[in-house]
């Protein structure tokens, strides 16, 4: 049709050019005449048609082309706008829309998308058609990305000439049922000159969709082949990746650097750290981190970091973070590869010989479960100590199988039940109890010697400590370790040997710098190894601290000036704590130790082990001499734990009466927790006085409570020696002023006793000093170990029982009585086993520690790797750790506390106590209280200075209205004994109570 080209979308029909040649003028004129004639003919035909239509319509006009619609013609009503269209316009609108949603073609409708239409014929509705879907036109998006980009962002480039329009286009062809199927994606975004994205949310969504679309293109060819990955060093990993590039490595490297090629020569050569860092970050770390989410096992980068983190021994929390970031393997994976071996090892159990002895030491460990309903995942740490036959032979067992007369007696020292039956009066029963719980002269002598040495130290260092600055910086011998003349001499020798001025009659003790002061500042990797002073050698940890647990080994101190040979050092460090204790094994039990059933299971384990040994003995005894010594397991079945589980076990044994558990079972409560309970009872009973004194160095209730009620015995070890020293210094100076000359320790002691008899407050303070000395002696019994340590511990335990009774520590009263009774009646063989095998265990450096502290150290070993918070895979890791920790060489010295993170301060340098400003504050406070001021009443001040109370000889009235009866020193010390004697006055045999259940008597 002539002129039809004008409606063509390309717009080419308006030009007078065809095939690049200009038409001749004649041909142009001819065509113009033809066009005019044709137009006139068309107008004539149109006028005739209009006349005919006018006779057949009723005024209905198409809203798009404005043509009349005859009564007999079909038409369409568009919904929801209601425009009426002729059939031709309707067809045109559907033809032109392509795959775009149908819109009303009427210009005034503003491209309103239709949701359907009504088909009309002869002015009657024939059918209603609904638009089931509105699909946008995606042809240009899928096939013409350049035109799509121009269509979307031409105006944006006009508005922001410095901007940048981007189309992200990709197509993936696959074979679907023998036919090629092509999937495409095209996303556009516009980045302005200020690097901000237009419509940022939509732009980010487009980038995400594009990345997800090309995911299989990058990830699938980058998947590793096989499951086994090499463990490489950082340098080896960089070389490995340069030689084994993956699609994701190239992609990320190009994305990060803008370079399409990887220059391996620069990356592997020295002096190009920037290239190396970029390559490691993009093509090694980032790529492996991304790929770790697609594969079920760690890749080269994670395995490399695992080894690095293991050598650094990072915290469990940091390891969890690295695992969550896919930088290191998860803890679950690390356990999985070795899990089968661990389970197999545990199934094999512990091999026991018939004449070995098994000790079951246990404690609880809990992990906090985070969440809305926070709870604790409870476990029990079990140390299984096997005292081998060879070790028992060193103690004198099994060495005289041919001569029974030379064997250690297994007969009970006292037949307790027989003695009970012969006791008919209360006096007789009390007489039976007196050797067990009574304070003997020897006990009093030990306490007196400890006190006198404390006073003598104060006198010897008075001039050093009572000057203007109260001796700040001076070093005194370890008064926290001095309990008698021998230990005083040893501490003085140690201080002198290490270059510390003894401080006698001088203003300030001088300190000789020690290499060990600087060890913590030296990076581990740069510590020298070619020295003889152990600074960076194999026994570094041995020199830096007292030892891994914070105790002191006297034997090590005696040899500290002698350089150890390399072989000796290696021999000493190679043995860890578990190996030193006869190859102690660790095991974990998923149970709550607070439950009686859990304690019964552990007791049953010990009983089953004993039964197994007896069965083995019965099989082999015929091959031995008839007089061969029977297994010690037949006379000793020992368990060690802390107070609360020990109390449960004791009750179980009483109720059982030998039916399930052998009567030879001993439940030993630990010395560490006994010391802690003593300190807590001391803080509870003497709280008014202690809080008043300690307020001079601790300004808040929480800080004071940390001192009064410690959760770790060492919380007091920094300050209490200074507190006791301050009392004795003030008393000495006051008495010296009265007498006018130097006085002796005995005179100071008598003066303080006189003040105690005159004033109840002074007696109260003096008694607190006695209990402080008792706690110190109890703590030092651990260092002595063996027989001497046991004797000292029992001495202090008898004193502590009085305090436990006054403060109603019922469980420890019962446990203490049970243990004292058992030892009193035990056979020589049982006592030797308790003294040498149960009371203490040995650290990696040969230092003796209470058996419950030994288990606490195992808890610390586990905490260092697992932390305190529960996480998935914890059970598998605990299985692995308990199987491997006892076999590792050496032990870590980092953590030095049990439970309280603040209990990190040490009371001393290694060889002496360094005086700080606390001493001066304590001296001034005690002086203000006039406790040891001759001829004056003591003064107790409350929080307000107006609350000044002078104590009479009858009543102690403390701030807050607390009243205490006035008692002289001896009666205060006897209160606990009197309460114990109440048991017999109530008509109950003290002996029966000690044997059966002390709780009933205490309740009565």
């Amino acid at each position: 049709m002539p002129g039809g080209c004008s409606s063509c979308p390309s717009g080419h029909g308006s030009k007078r050019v065809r095939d690049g040649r200009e038409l001749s003028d004649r041909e142009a004129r001819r065509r113009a005449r033809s066009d005019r004639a044709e137009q006139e003919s068309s107008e004539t035909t149109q006028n005739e048609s209009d006349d005919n239509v006018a006779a057949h319509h009723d005024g209905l006009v198409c809203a798009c082309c404005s043509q009349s619609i005859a009564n007999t013609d079909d038409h369409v009503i568009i919904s929801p706008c209601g425009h009426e269209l002729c059939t031709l316009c309707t067809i045109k609108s559907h033809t032109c829309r392509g795959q775009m949603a149908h819109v009303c073609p009427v210009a005034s409708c503003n491209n309103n998308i239709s949701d359907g239409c009504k088909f009309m014929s002869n002015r009657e509705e024939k059918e209603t058609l609904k638009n089931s879907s509105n699909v946008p036109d995606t042809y240009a998006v899928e096939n013409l990305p350049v035109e799509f980009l121009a269509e979307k962002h031409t105006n944006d480039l006009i508005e922001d000439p410095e901007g940048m329009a981007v189309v992200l286009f990709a197509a993936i062809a696959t074979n679907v049922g023998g036919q090629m199927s092509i999937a495409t994606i095209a996303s556009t975004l516009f980045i302005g000159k200020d690097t901000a994205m237009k419509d940022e949310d939509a732009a980010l969504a487009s980038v995400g969709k594009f990345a997800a679309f090309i995911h299989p293109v990058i990830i699938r060819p980058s998947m590793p082949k096989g499951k086994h990955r090499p463990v490489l060093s950082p340098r080896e990993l960089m070389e490995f990746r340069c030689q084994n590039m993956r699609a994701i490595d190239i992609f990320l490297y190009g994305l990060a650097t803008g370079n399409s090629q990887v220059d391996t020569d620069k990356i592997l050569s020295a002096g190009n750290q920037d290239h190396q860092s970029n390559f490691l970050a993009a093509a090694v770390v980032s790529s492996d981190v991304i790929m770790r989410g697609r594969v079920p096992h760690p890749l080269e980068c994670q395995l490399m970091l695992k080894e690095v983190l293991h050598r650094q021994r990072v915290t469990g929390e940091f390891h969890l973070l690295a695992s969550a970031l896919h930088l290191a393997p998860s803890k679950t994976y690390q356990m999985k590869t070795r899990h089968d071996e661990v389970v197999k090892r545990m199934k094999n159990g512990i091999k026991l010989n018939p004449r070995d002895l098994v000790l079951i030491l246990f404690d609880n460990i809990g992990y906090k479960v985070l969440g809305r309903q926070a709870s604790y995942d409870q476990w029990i740490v079990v140390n299984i100590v096997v005292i081998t036959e060879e070790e028992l032979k060193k103690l004198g067992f099994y060495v005289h199988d041919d001569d029974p007369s030379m064997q250690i007696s297994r007969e009970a020292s006292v037949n307790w039940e027989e003695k009970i039956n012969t006791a008919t009066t209360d006096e007789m029963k009390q007489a039976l109890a007196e050797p067990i719980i009574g304070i003997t002269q020897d006990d009093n002598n030990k306490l007196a010697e400890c006190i006198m040495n404390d006073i003598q130290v104060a006198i010897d260092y008075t001039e050093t400590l009572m000057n203007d600055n109260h001796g700040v910086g001076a070093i005194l011998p370890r008064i926290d370790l001095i309990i008698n003349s021998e230990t005083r001499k040893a501490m003085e020798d140690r201080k002198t040997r290490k270059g510390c001025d003894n401080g006698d009659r001088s203003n300030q003790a001088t300190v000789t710098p020690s290499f060990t002061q600087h060890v913590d500042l030296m990076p581990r990797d740069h510590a020298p190894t070619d020295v003889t002073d152990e600074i960076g050698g194999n026994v570094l940890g041995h020199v830096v601290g007292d030892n891994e647990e914070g105790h002191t080994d006297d034997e090590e101190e005696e040899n500290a000036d002698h350089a150890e040979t390399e072989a000796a050092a290696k021999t000493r460090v190679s043995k860890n704590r578990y190996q030193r204790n006869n190859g102690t094994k660790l095991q974990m039990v998923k149970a709550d130790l607070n439950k009686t059933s859990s304690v019964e299971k552990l007791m049953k384990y010990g009983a089953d082990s004993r039964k197994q040994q007896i069965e083995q003995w019965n099989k082999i005894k015929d091959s031995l001499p008839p007089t061969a010594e029977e297994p010690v397991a037949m006379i000793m079945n020992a368990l060690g734990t802390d107070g609360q589980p020990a109390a449960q076990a004791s009750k179980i044994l009483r109720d059982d009466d030998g039916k399930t558990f052998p009567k030879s079972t001993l439940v030993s409560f630990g010395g560490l927790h006994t010391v802690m309970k003593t300190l807590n009872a001391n803080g509870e009973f003497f709280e008014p006085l202690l809080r008043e004194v300690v307020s001079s160095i601790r300004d808040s209730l929480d800080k004071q409570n940390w001192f009064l009620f410690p959760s770790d015995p060492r919380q007091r070890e920094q300050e209490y020696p200074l507190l006791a020293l301050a009392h004795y210094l003030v008393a000495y100076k006051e008495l010296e002023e009265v007498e006018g000359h130097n006085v002796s320790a005995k005179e100071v002691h008598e003066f303080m006793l006189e003040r105690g008899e005159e004033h109840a407050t002074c007696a109260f303070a003096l008694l607190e000093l006695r209990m402080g000395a008792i706690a110190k002696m109890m703590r030092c019994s651990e260092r002595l170990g063996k027989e001497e340590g046991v004797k000292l511990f029992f001495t202090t335990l008898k004193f502590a029982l009085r305090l436990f009774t006054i403060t109603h520590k019922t469980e420890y009263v019962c446990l203490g009585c049970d243990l004292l009774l058992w030892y009193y009646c035990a056979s020589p063989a049982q006592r030797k086993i308790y003294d040498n095998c149960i009371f203490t265990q040995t650290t990696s450096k040969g230092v003796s520690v209470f058996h419950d502290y030994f288990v606490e150290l195992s808890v610390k070993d586990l905490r260092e790797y697992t932390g305190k918070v529960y996480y998935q895979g914890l059970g598998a890791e605990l299985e692995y750790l308990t199987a491997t920790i006892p076999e590792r060489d050496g032990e870590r010295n980092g953590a030095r506390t049990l439970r309280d993170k603040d209990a990190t301060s040490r009371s001393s340098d290694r060889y002496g106590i360094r005086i700080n400003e606390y001493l001066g504050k304590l001296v001034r406070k005690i002086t203000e209280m006039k406790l040891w001021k001759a001829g004056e009443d003591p003064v107790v001040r409350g929080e307000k200075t107006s609350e000044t109370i002078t104590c009479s000889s009858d009543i102690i009235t403390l701030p807050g209205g607390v009243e205490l009866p006035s008692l002289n020193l001896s009666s205060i010390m006897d209160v606990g004994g009197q309460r114990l004697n109440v048991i017999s006055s109530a008509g109950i045999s003290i002996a029966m109570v000690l044997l059966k259940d002390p709780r009933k008597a205490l309740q009565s």
Side-chain angles (χ1 to χ4, degrees):
M1 177 186 296
C5 293
S6 62
S7 63
C8 178
S10 64
H12 295 166
S14 61
K15 297 181 180 179
R16 294 182 176 272
V17 178
R18 179 178 294 125
D19 297 332
R21 297 188 301 272
E22 184 178 356
L23 298 176
S24 63
D25 293 341
R26 182 182 299 176
E27 181 68 16
R29 289 193 295 272
R30 185 185 67 77
R31 289 200 173 203
R33 289 194 299 270
S34 176
D35 290 345
R36 285 197 297 272
E38 185 175 356
Q39 183 176 359
E40 293 174 356
S41 175
S42 176
E43 291 176 352
T44 302
T45 304
Q46 182 67 36
N47 292 335
E48 294 176 353
S49 176
D50 291 343
D51 295 338
N52 294 330
V53 169
H56 298 90
H57 75 83
D58 54 1
L60 183 63
V61 178
C62 175
C64 181
C65 64
S66 301
Q67 298 293 324
S68 298
I69 301 175
N71 294 337
T72 58
D73 287 347
D74 298 332
H75 72 280
V76 175
I77 301 176
I78 302 297
S79 174
C81 59
H83 288 127
E84 295 180 302
L85 304 179
C86 64
T87 304
L88 179 60
C89 288
T90 302
I91 294 174
K92 285 182 177 181
S93 67
H94 277 280
T95 302
C96 295
R97 74 181 181 88
Q99 293 185 359
M100 300 293 290
H102 180 261
V103 298
C104 179
V106 179
S108 61
C109 203
N110 296 322
N111 293 325
N112 184 33
I113 297 177
S114 67
D115 60 9
C117 63
K118 295 180 181 179
F119 177 69
M120 310 294 291
S121 180
N122 296 326
R123 302 294 189 269
E124 295 182 359
E125 181 179 341
K126 294 298 182 178
E127 188 175 357
T128 299
L129 304 175
K130 292 295 182 181
N131 192 357
S132 59
S133 63
N134 295 321
V135 181
D137 185 3
T138 60
Y139 181 80
V141 176
E142 295 179 355
N143 301 278
L144 305 172
V146 177
E147 292 189 8
F148 178 55
L149 178 65
E151 177 185 342
K152 296 284 288 185
H153 296 293
T154 298
N155 293 334
D156 294 329
L157 287 172
I158 294 174
E159 295 175 359
D160 187 358
E162 297 182 16
M164 179 173 57
V166 181
V167 60
L168 303 175
F169 179 83
I172 298 177
T174 57
N175 188 327
V176 179
Q179 303 269 337
M180 177 181 289
S181 175
I182 300 177
T184 62
I185 185 173
S187 300
T188 66
L189 56 134
F190 186 82
I191 302 174
K193 63 179 180 180
D194 56 354
T195 68
M197 291 183 177
K198 182 180 180 181
D199 298 330
E200 185 174 2
D201 292 341
L204 293 177
S206 298
V207 173
K209 290 179 181 178
F210 179 79
F213 186 82
I214 66 172
H215 171 82
V217 179
I218 303 298
I219 299 299
R220 184 178 297 176
S222 302
M223 295 293 286
K225 308 300 187 292
K227 295 182 179 180
H228 300 289
R229 310 258 69 78
V231 180
L232 307 171
S233 67
R235 175 70 184 183
E236 292 171 340
L237 178 58
M238 186 170 60
E239 296 175 352
F240 174 81
R241 188 61 71 219
C242 285
Q243 299 170 4
N244 299 273
M245 296 292 288
R246 301 166 298 184
I248 192 172
D249 302 330
I250 296 292
F251 179 81
L252 291 178
Y253 184 78
L255 186 66
T257 64
N259 299 323
S260 60
Q261 297 293 326
V262 179
D263 192 340
T264 57
D265 293 336
K266 285 186 176 181
I267 292 173
L268 297 178
S269 63
N272 291 283
Q273 294 184 353
D274 290 341
H275 286 81
Q276 294 173 355
S277 297
N278 291 333
F279 181 77
L280 286 172
V284 177
V285 179
S286 298
S287 58
D288 274 9
V289 167
I290 293 173
M291 292 301 299
R292 180 64 182 89
R294 308 301 304 172
V295 296
H297 49 78
L299 300 173
E300 291 82 3
C301 178
Q302 286 89 15
L303 294 175
M304 179 269 292
L305 286 173
K306 176 182 77 72
E307 294 301 318
V308 174
L309 295 178
H310 179 72
R311 287 196 298 271
Q312 297 299 323
R313 293 186 174 182
V314 298
T315 62
E317 183 179 357
F318 181 84
H319 201 130
L320 285 176
L321 177 61
S323 174
L325 297 176
H326 283 176
L327 292 173
S330 66
K331 288 182 175 292
T332 302
Y333 171 82
Q334 294 184 53
M335 299 306 108
K336 185 177 180 181
T337 56
R338 293 165 286 189
H339 181 71
D340 293 340
E341 179 183 354
V342 171
V343 171
K344 181 180 179 180
R345 190 182 308 169
M346 295 178 67
K347 285 182 178 179
N348 291 335
I350 300 174
K351 295 181 179 180
L352 290 178
N353 293 323
R355 298 209 287 189
D356 293 342
L357 177 64
V358 179
L359 308 179
I360 309 298
L361 310 178
F362 55 91
D363 198 0
N364 66 303
I365 180 173
Y367 294 89
K368 188 173 183 180
V369 181
L370 302 180
R372 293 184 177 180
Q373 296 181 344
S375 59
Y376 275 90
D377 187 47
Q378 296 286 352
W379 294 77
I380 301 176
V381 181
V382 183
N383 280 254
I384 304 174
V385 184
V386 180
I387 312 298
T388 62
E389 182 177 350
E390 293 302 319
E391 292 294 325
L392 290 171
K393 285 182 178 179
K394 296 177 183 178
L395 298 178
F397 296 97
Y398 309 136
V399 294
H400 300 290
D401 285 344
D402 297 330
D403 187 359
S405 63
M406 297 296 293
Q407 296 174 3
I408 302 175
S409 174
R410 301 190 179 192
E411 294 294 328
S413 300
V414 176
N415 189 329
W416 187 248
E417 293 189 7
E418 181 180 329
K419 285 184 173 292
I420 290 175
N421 294 331
T422 59
T424 57
T425 64
D426 291 341
E427 291 76 11
M428 295 175 64
K429 295 172 184 177
Q430 290 184 20
L432 289 177
E434 185 62 26
I436 302 172
I437 61 173
I439 305 296
T440 65
Q441 186 59 44
D442 182 62
D443 299 330
N444 284 321
N445 291 340
K446 291 178 181 177
L447 177 59
E449 188 174 8
C450 179
I451 294 170
M452 294 302 292
N453 274 280
D454 287 345
I455 298 175
Q456 189 62 52
V457 169
I459 294 175
D460 291 344
Y461 288 86
T462 297
E463 292 186 10
T464 300
L465 303 177
M466 293 300 282
N467 54 21
D468 293 338
N469 68 347
H470 290 283
V472 174
I475 296 180
L476 270 63
R478 292 286 300 269
I479 56 177
D480 59 320
L481 301 180
I482 295 176
I483 58 175
N484 52 38
S485 301
E486 289 77 10
T487 53
R488 168 74 192 275
K489 183 179 184 302
M491 295 302 105
E492 290 284 6
D493 291 345
R494 177 190 300 181
K495 184 174 72 72
T496 304
R497 185 172 64 248
K498 292 304 172 182
C500 301
D501 189 347
N502 60 14
D504 292 351
R505 308 306 185 198
S506 63
N507 292 330
Q508 177 95 10
T510 59
V511 181
T512 301
S514 170
F515 288 114
T516 60
Q517 297 175 0
H518 308 286
V519 171
D520 291 336
L521 303 179
M522 300 169 61
R524 179 178 298 180
D525 294 339
H526 298 83
T529 57
D530 56 345
V531 293
T532 59
D533 197 24
E534 305 178 341
I535 296 177
N538 294 313
V539 286
L540 174 64
H542 168 61
V543 175
V544 174
D546 285 348
N547 57 52
E548 66 199 346
E549 291 80 27
H551 299 302
T552 304
D553 185 357
D554 294 335
E555 181 180 352
E556 292 174 349
E557 295 297 342
E558 293 297 328
N559 298 324
D561 287 334
H562 303 286
E564 298 183 73
T565 62
E566 183 177 358
K570 289 182 178 179
T571 302
R572 202 150 119 195
V573 174
S574 63
K575 272 195 173 183
N576 62 25
R577 180 167 69 256
Y578 303 93
Q579 294 166 352
R580 275 193 173 271
N581 290 271
N582 307 293
T584 298
K585 301 298 181 182
L586 267 178
Q587 285 196 12
M588 298 297 295
V589 179
K590 184 70 174 68
D592 186 355
L593 193 55
N594 292 322
K595 296 182 179 179
T596 303
S597 59
S598 301
V599 179
E600 285 183 344
K601 290 178 182 178
L602 294 170
M603 296 173 66
K604 185 70 165 53
Y605 181 87
D608 291 344
S609 299
R610 174 181 179 272
K611 181 180 179 181
Q612 177 185 350
Q613 288 180 277
I614 295 175
E615 291 175 352
Q616 293 178 356
W617 169 253
N618 292 331
K619 294 178 181 178
I620 67 169
K621 66 179 181 180
D622 293 339
S623 60
L624 299 174
T627 58
E629 197 169 353
E630 294 182 337
V632 294
M634 300 180 73
I635 61 168
M636 176 70 76
N637 180 34
L639 296 93
T641 182
D642 55 25
Q644 192 266 344
Q648 289 189 28
S650 296
K651 186 178 184 304
I652 292 171
L653 290 175
R654 293 190 190 95
D655 296 340
D656 182 72
D657 197 23
K659 297 176 183 177
T660 304
F661 308 106
K663 290 187 176 182
S664 60
T665 301
L666 168 66
V667 180
S668 175
F669 63 102
L672 172 75
H673 289 81
T674 307
V675 174
M676 190 164 61
K677 186 64 68 174
T678 302
L679 294 176
N680 277 269
N682 183 70
E684 179 182 338
F685 186 70
F686 299 103
E687 179 179 0
L689 180 67
L690 279 177
R691 193 177 292 279
E692 176 70 13
V693 177
V694 174
S695 64
S696 63
I697 58 176
R698 292 184 168 271
D699 55 0
S700 69
L701 289 178
D702 288 341
K703 292 179 181 179
Q704 294 164 18
N705 290 339
W706 186 85
F707 177 88
L708 294 176
F709 312 111
S711 58
D712 183 338
R714 295 193 301 158
Q715 287 176 212
R716 281 201 188 184
E717 287 186 0
Q718 182 184 20
E719 296 161 6
Y720 191 84
L722 300 180
L723 186 149
L725 188 62
H727 275 286
Y728 296 132
L729 285 170
V730 173
Y732 171 75
K733 293 300 290 185
E734 294 291 348
L735 181 60
E736 190 179 45
E737 287 184 10
V738 173
E739 298 295 334
H741 58 79
N742 292 338
V743 293
S744 66
K746 178 181 178 182
E747 291 173 318
V748 174
H749 183 245
E750 291 176 349
F751 168 69
M752 298 177 78
L753 284 175
E754 291 173 1
R755 289 287 293 171
E757 292 174 354
E758 294 173 1
H759 300 283
T761 302
C762 299
F764 201 56
L766 195 55
L767 177 59
E768 194 283 320
L769 289 172
R770 299 293 187 270
M771 294 309 303
I774 290 167
K776 180 174 72 169
M777 293 165 61
M778 184 180 291
R779 192 83 165 94
C780 290
S781 68
E782 174 184 34
R783 295 174 171 86
L784 295 176
K786 311 303 181 184
E787 292 87 347
E788 291 302 317
V790 172
K791 291 178 182 178
L792 182 59
F793 179 76
F794 285 163
T795 290
T796 57
L797 179 60
K798 288 188 284 186
F799 282 113
L801 280 176
R802 272 72 182 160
L803 185 61
F804 293 158
T805 308
I806 295 172
T807 54
H808 306 286
K809 301 297 183 287
T810 308
E811 282 187 349
Y812 273 83
V813 171
C814 301
L815 291 171
C817 291
D818 284 345
L819 181 60
L820 290 171
L821 173 63
W822 176 87
Y823 196 85
Y824 177 72
C825 300
S827 66
Q830 291 173 317
R831 290 179 179 176
K832 183 172 284 290
I833 292 173
Y834 180 83
D835 294 346
N836 293 275
C837 302
I838 301 176
F839 178 64
T840 57
Q841 302 298 311
T842 307
T843 69
S844 60
K845 297 181 177 66
V847 181
S848 60
V849 293
F850 290 128
H851 65 70
D852 56 333
Y853 191 54
F854 183 81
V855 185
E856 292 283 358
L857 294 175
S858 296
V859 173
K860 287 203 306 181
D861 289 341
L862 296 171
R863 290 281 193 207
E864 288 174 6
Y865 291 94
T866 60
K868 296 183 178 181
V869 179
Y870 172 83
Y871 54 87
Q872 190 174 5
L874 175 64
E877 181 169 7
L878 288 174
E879 287 182 356
Y880 170 69
L881 290 174
T882 52
T884 57
I885 283 178
E887 299 179 2
R888 297 178 182 176
D889 290 338
E891 298 183 60
R892 297 179 61 182
N893 296 334
R896 293 183 176 273
T897 61
L898 292 181
R899 300 184 179 88
D900 197 305
K901 64 180 181 181
D902 295 326
T904 57
S905 59
R906 294 168 58 190
S907 63
S908 62
D909 293 324
R910 183 166 174 80
Y911 306 108
I913 287 185
R914 187 180 298 274
I915 302 301
N916 56 28
E917 68 279 5
Y918 283 1
L919 179 63
K921 294 179 180 180
L922 290 167
V923 166
R924 287 190 290 271
K925 183 65 176 179
I926 294 171
T927 302
E928 291 174 3
M929 295 175 67
K930 299 181 180 180
L931 290 171
W932 316 116
K933 184 70 173 178
E936 296 190 26
D937 292 339
V939 176
V940 178
R941 298 182 183 273
E943 295 181 0
K944 299 179 180 178
T945 55
S946 59
E947 294 183 356
T948 303
I949 299 176
T950 302
C951 301
S952 67
S953 59
D954 298 323
I955 293 293
I956 308 173
T957 305
L958 301 177
V962 178
E963 292 188 355
L964 295 174
S966 174
L967 300 172
N968 60 36
L969 184 63
S970 60
S971 62
I972 291 178
M973 295 295 289
D974 289 340
V975 168
Q978 292 171 3
R979 289 194 177 182
L980 287 176
N981 291 336
V982 168
I983 297 173
S984 60
S985 64
I988 302 177
S989 168
I990 181 67
M992 287 296 295
V993 168
L994 289 172
L995 181 65
K996 298 297 182 182
D997 193 350
R999 295 173 180 79
K1000 296 179 181 178
L1002 288 172
Q1003 291 171 359
S1004 65

